[in-house]
């Protein structure tokens, strides 16, 4: 189901169905002086978008859903797995200097930190690394696990979570990214990431009906 901008003919069809529904495709075509075949794509769009519903042998009727209701329904169909990106992880013993290099090379704003069993143990943001650099510490020997935000204080999400819920926690927690995790016997494996960019992409796709 999609939220779309309707053209003049689609608006007209919608009005006819609102006023006369349930009504067959044939009857709508008659009212518009068009053939049933000409109308078929418009009816398909209106049905897919959720404005109309069709029942065999009854015809088309108006669902009564507003644009906002349809938008909300669409939002609730977008899951983390639809928009997640590949995570960039570093080992907890790498130096702050190496983490800074990784952040530049991989072109990301958040690194996830894992232990030797590749389980999530921490998060490093740009500011975490800047803060350590300002402190004039020995960046090549300082391990990231000294400066990272560590478990259990890490906000995570799972593949099946709704993207809108992750977006809310990005705002509430004032963070830029969350790791997508899979729980393996109580430990968390990092399998993806959701950042503000992923949420922005979903937002744009929603506007362009490209879900
Ligand atoms: P920055 O401060 O670099 O703009 P963030 O806003 O993402 O980046 O990070 C703010 C603080 O929150 C940092 O100290 C970072 O370690 C921490 N942080 C980032 N992501 C998470 C997360 N998913 N869970 C918990 N803490 C996080």
């Amino acid at each position: 189901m999609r939220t779309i901008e309707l053209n003049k003919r689609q608006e007209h069809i919608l009005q006819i169905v609102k006023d006369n529904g349930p009504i067959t495709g044939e009857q709508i075509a008659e009212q518009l002086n068009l053939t049933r075949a000409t109308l078929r794509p418009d009816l398909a769009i209106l049905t897919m978008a959720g404005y109309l519903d069709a029942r065999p042998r009854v015809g088309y009727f108006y669902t009564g859903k507003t644009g906002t209701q349809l938008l909300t329904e669409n939002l609730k169909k977008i899951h983390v797995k639809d928009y997640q990106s590949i995570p960039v992880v570093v080992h907890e013993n790498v130096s702050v200097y190496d983490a800074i290099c990784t952040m530049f090379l991989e072109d990301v704003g958040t690194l996830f930190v894992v232990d030797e069993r590749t389980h999530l143990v921490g998060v490093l943001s740009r500011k975490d690394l800047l803060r350590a650099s300002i402190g004039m510490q020995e960046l090549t020997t300082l391990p990231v696990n000294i400066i990272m935000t560590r478990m259990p204080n890490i906000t995570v999400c799972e593949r099946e979570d709704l993207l809108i819920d992750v977006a809310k926690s990005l705002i509430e927690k004032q963070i830029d990214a969350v790791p997508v995790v899979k729980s393996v016997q109580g430990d968390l494996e990092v399998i993806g990431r959701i950042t503000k960019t992923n949420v922005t992409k979903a937002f744009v796709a929603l506007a362009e009906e490209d879900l």
Side-chain angles (χ1 to χ4, degrees), residues 109-110 112 123-128 131 147-149 153-156 170 173-179 196:
T110 307
F112 302 121
V123 173
L124 288 168
S125 77
R126 280 179 280 230
K127 252 181 266 162
D128 294 332
R131 196 182 303 113
I147 64 150
M148 69 189 185
T149 301
N153 301 321
I154 300 181
T155 304
V156 299
L170 289 177
K173 304 271 168 64
Q174 299 187 3
I175 52 179
D176 293 345
V178 295
K196 288 178 174 171

Side-chain angles (χ1 to χ4, degrees), residues 22-25 27 54-61:
I23 178 169
T24 65
Q27 289 165 328
R55 293 231 178 89
R57 284 181 295 280
V58 177
Y60 292 91
F61 57 93

Side-chain angles (χ1 to χ4, degrees), residues 100-120:
I100 292 171
C101 294
T102 303
M103 193 173 266
F104 273 100
L105 287 172
E106 300 285 347
D107 196 16
V108 290
T110 307
L111 298 172
F112 302 121
V113 186
V114 295
D115 63 15
E116 58 290 338
R117 291 170 309 150
T118 70
H119 295 147
L120 178 67

Side-chain angles (χ1 to χ4, degrees), residues 66-118:
T66 62
T68 311
Q69 280 171 319
L70 294 171
L71 186 66
T72 308
E73 280 181 16
N74 283 338
L75 265 178
K76 297 205 164 152
K77 286 184 188 145
I78 309 176
H79 294 91
V80 163
K81 63 176 181 218
D82 304 322
Y83 280 92
Q84 72 184 49
S85 308
I86 294 166
V88 178
V89 301
V90 291
H91 189 272
E92 61 179 332
N93 290 338
V94 305
S95 68
V96 170
Y97 181 88
D98 284 343
I100 292 171
C101 294
T102 303
M103 193 173 266
F104 273 100
L105 287 172
E106 300 285 347
D107 196 16
V108 290
T110 307
L111 298 172
F112 302 121
V113 186
V114 295
D115 63 15
E116 58 290 338
R117 291 170 309 150
T118 70

